[in-house]
DNA sequence: ATGTATTAGTTGTTGTTACAAGTAATGTAT
DNA sequence: ATACATTACTTGTAACAACAACTAATACAT
């Protein structure tokens, strides 16, 4: 049979397909938007910013690498490389954890704190202008609900959803 | 109503902040999900799949590089590198455009067509299981509307919004 | 105590992406 | 016809991420 009518994206009804195509476009464009603003204004990738932001909100501005990696949705190897570079730039300081000598604590330095503080307003403005303000309050609430729904499936460790994960 | 406060993520009210944190997590996790399924089952990145899929739907299974780059939300350099690799793998064939000798046409080969056809069902199943099925029909419609709203700001060329956007 | 498995993290390799620079064809104005 | 700008694309380089392999500490079982 000629498959010309059935495109490579099948199995979704027209409404679902349309929603998906728009959603993928958003998902592909948002990271670049965040990265380029932060890179331009603060010489940080979005991931680096997120790492610093999580540390800045932690007690003592300090977290274990493992905890930090799950808070930033990243693998431990990726985090390790990034924290190493941040340490070389003087924004973070690593030290062995006293209670468990396998573990490493990552702490924000004073300079790191200052960098996050300076980067935050521009970042928040970008988020507001590009994501929050274009939506109604109702849509923001819908996006929250939808994201939570998706994270139940997507989030490997379910750390954002206090529910028992299905077998893995 | 703008607020200037000291923590890294501020200037958003609690509802907005919560929605944003969940949404970023989704945006960070979805590409990895698509990539790993396609990589595992079809040895393609999601971007490569998308390039092949766009070609497979084009008249003659052929597109100009520039057109293809905007359809895939990518820069021309990025597309050029990817198409070069796809050509080396025999999935795409490039040829100079007869009417404009600056331009290059990228065409899907028979093998490329076969590869997309084989990859499609698994990809669609992943999308359905992880994005569409967790949502109600109403939420899918909401996601569509929200994505469109965001693309008006995000999509530089508005190529996904054929109709005139609301007056801005 | 000793051996094994698990956890925590780092490092190396390989491939991809972004950015900037370069080439070539085309359009436009004089 | 010549000069200049623009468009279309390619290529080189440097940063980044994914994956796998590695080291070291801890937990558990006998």
């Amino acid at each position: 049979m000629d498959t010309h009518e059935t495109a490579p994206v099948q199995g979704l009804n027209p409404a679902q397909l349309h929603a998906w195509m728009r959603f993928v476009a958003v998902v592909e464009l948002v990271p670049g938007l965040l990265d380029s603003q932060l890179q331009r204004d603060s010489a940080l990738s979005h991931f680096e910013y997120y790492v610093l932001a999580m540390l800045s909100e932690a007690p003592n501005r300090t977290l274990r690498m493992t905890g930090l990696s799950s808070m930033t949705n990243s693998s431990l190897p990726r985090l390790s490389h990034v924290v190493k570079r941040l340490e070389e730039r003087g924004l973070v300081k690593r030290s062995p954890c006293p209670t468990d000598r396998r573990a490493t604590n990552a702490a924000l330095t004073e300079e790191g704190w200052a960098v996050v503080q300076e980067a935050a307003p521009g970042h928040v403005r970008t988020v507001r202008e590009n994501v929050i303000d274009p939506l109604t309050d109702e849509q923001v609430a819908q996006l929250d609900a939808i994201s939570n729904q998706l994270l139940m499936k997507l989030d490997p460790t379910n750390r954002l959803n206090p529910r028992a994960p299905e077998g893995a």
Side-chain angles (χ1 to χ4, degrees), chain A:
Chain A
M1 253 340 208
D2 187 10
T3 46
H4 196 271
E5 56 165 4
T6 57
V9 177
Q10 317 158 353
L12 301 173
N13 70 37
Q16 292 170 336
L17 180 57
H18 190 265
W20 167 245
M21 292 195 308
R22 299 307 168 108
F23 181 57
V24 215
V26 169
V27 156
E28 302 268 314
L29 290 171
V30 166
L33 172 81
L34 302 176
D35 275 328
S36 58
Q37 181 271 320
L38 280 165
Q39 200 65 252
R40 174 168 45 80
D41 297 341
S42 309
L44 292 171
S45 70
H46 178 244
F47 183 71
E48 290 168 335
Y49 173 82
Y50 209 73
V51 166
L52 299 181
M54 290 303 106
L55 286 175
S56 76
E57 289 172 355
N60 257 1
R61 296 178 194 164
T62 301
L63 285 169
R64 295 261 288 262
M65 291 294 283
T66 300
L68 191 50
S69 81
S70 71
M71 293 176 71
T72 54
N73 307 310
S74 87
S75 64
L76 206 39
R78 180 186 182 187
L79 182 67
S80 179
H81 280 127
V82 168
V83 167
K84 183 183 178 188
R85 285 179 226 131
L86 290 174
E87 188 170 35
E88 286 163 0
R89 292 165 64 180
L91 308 183
V92 165
K93 180 77 185 359
R94 277 185 294 188
S95 52
C97 174
T99 68
D100 182 342
R101 283 187 305 182
R102 293 171 299 181
T104 303
N105 286 328
L108 206 58
T109 63
E110 278 308 314
E111 191 185 345
W113 170 259
V115 164
V116 196
Q117 296 310 303
E118 279 202 13
H123 173 62
V124 173
R125 182 159 21 81
T126 304
V127 170
R128 171 178 284 301
E129 283 176 6
N130 292 278
V131 180
I132 301 297
D133 284 350
L135 303 179
T136 65
D137 287 351
E138 195 188 357
Q139 284 180 316
V140 170
Q142 291 168 357
L143 185 58
D144 192 344
I146 288 168
S147 300
N148 272 296
Q149 209 63 30
L150 296 182
L151 287 173
M152 289 182 192
K153 275 280 182 189
L154 294 177
D155 181 7
T157 61
N158 263 25
R159 77 198 96 71
L160 297 171
N161 288 289
R163 291 168 41 125
E166 46 197 332

